[in-house]
Amino acid sequence: MAVTAPELLPARMLNEFVYCPRLFYFEWVDGRWADSHDTEDGRFTHRAVDTRTGTLGGERPDTARVTSLRLESERLGLVGVLDRVEDGGDGTVVPVDIKKGAPSPNGNPWSADVVQIFAQVALLHDAGYAVNRGVLYYAETHQRISIPISDVEIAVVLEFARDARQVAASPKPPLPLVASNRCPRCSLVGLCMPDETNALLAREQMPPRTIVPRDPDHRPVYVGTHGASVGIRGGRLRVVQKGAPPYEVRLVDVAQLCVFGNVQISTQVLAELWSRGVPVMWFSYNGWLRGWAQGEMGKYVQLRRSQIAVEGPGSLAMARAMVAGKIRNCRTLLRRNIKNETDQASATLAGLAGKALEAASPAELLGIEGAAARLYFERFAGMIGPAGAAMAERFEQNGRKRRPAPDPINALLGYVYALLVKDIVAVCLGVGLDPYIGVYHRPRYGRPALALDLMEEFRPLLADSTVIGMINNGEISNGDFESRNGGCWLTTQGRRKVIAAYERRLDVKIAHPVFKYRISYRRVLDVQARIAAAVMIGELDEYVPMSTR
């Protein structure tokens, strides 16, 4: 499936192409971007030249310096915004490209920066100006490096532009660099996952380097008081509720806004959150996820097209891996929490996980998953300690039931599953996946099928373990529930306790079973969604679920 690239290639994208063709593809073709400390520093460094000043007239500038000059050439197929253009003093003009960092250790400019200045000279030359050199200014060391440029260098940059367009026409991005020192400082390392992709493709033997989350301070904000209102004041999200002091949090620290029941949200809040790529999630008072809203859809169009096209064997293979991962994690949770767990139950679950990987159809896979779930929930009460004996007894009598939940454990499981679905929906939106188009759960009105698919392996790891831990640690009691309308529901206080426990669970760090580095469950959700996306676009051959031992 060929990709149609824009007619004009930005000069700065040639810098990215020389630095890393995969980075170039992500940014120009897929429209993917992530801020980092380096990109923020770059914006600060460029603040003096981001506003256009001066004009170019005739063969010489009208002023001694022109900033933020936009030039384009259909003949060259290039477009660029030049940071600064100076009068060369000899009838020539000189483009000056400002870089926030420093030149290479030997004092020479970086090759990617040189190619970008070549492109700027080519644009000026095509516009009719005399140019024989360019300047790279490195702000960190306050160095100006002059680079002589002739027709040879212009021919070189046009060759790079042709190569970049050829890469852009591919239906999938180039493979990552192998063990490159360029990757750790790249702003898109968390999206690209170079080491993880290379490890899954067996392209390198070194263990993957730890992924650093793009913003580890991001956390969901929950608003669950009826009649509360959410507004903005001074760059902070402000929650006002009757009988309590206002609660404020910096907008930069908000990963999601989750509202339960009748909560008012101002238009300013929605506009600001959506501009930052932060989704707003709406729940019923009792915790059912009703829907969500986001700003502009992700620009990763090729992924959505590939996601829709995944069907037949490809879809079934991913579904088999997800279900097998879920069954293995259920088995692990039972073995950890039931001292006298029979070898027969453990062996049965292990056998069902193996059968899931060989299922010949979605219907057969569904039957295998159902059998594993029945066996698992038949033994679920055995994981509850003395502190929750009464709750365990009621659950054992009812079994796993929902809508309405007949007992506290069923109420807890339903509530935490809704929180987990919410988080995976948010992850899907961030990656560029459509949460409604799944590979295992069939599409149905209002059902986020892909989110339900991806959450399967995390049900025991995040949701069930949260419920078991809360009950066994005495964090929740019968006083946190109320019975009405034939069902059992969490009270407001109970819901707050569950959210706090669930968020703590997400922050737990584990050794990733495939990549071996330590990583939080919160970040694992993102990693797994990106692995699924890589399988859908054909970059990886198979989906590898998150399974623990």
Side-chain angles (χ1 to χ4, degrees), residues 397-448:
Q397 293 171 355
N398 294 317
R400 176 70 182 117
K401 292 183 180 179
R402 55 186 71 80
R403 297 196 179 188
D407 57 76
I409 291 181
N410 271 302
L412 285 169
L413 288 173
Y415 196 83
V416 181
Y417 288 159
L419 295 177
L420 182 55
V421 170
K422 172 265 299 182
D423 279 325
I424 297 182
V425 164
V427 165
C428 288
L429 296 176
V431 171
L433 291 162
D434 188 331
Y436 284 106
I437 303 175
V439 295
Y440 176 50
H441 290 84
R442 296 300 94 192
R444 194 174 70 191
Y445 179 80
R447 169 191 273 181

Side-chain angles (χ1 to χ4, degrees), residues 352-365:
L352 289 171
K355 288 182 178 179
L357 293 174
E358 300 173 353
S361 68
E364 182 181 346
L365 184 60

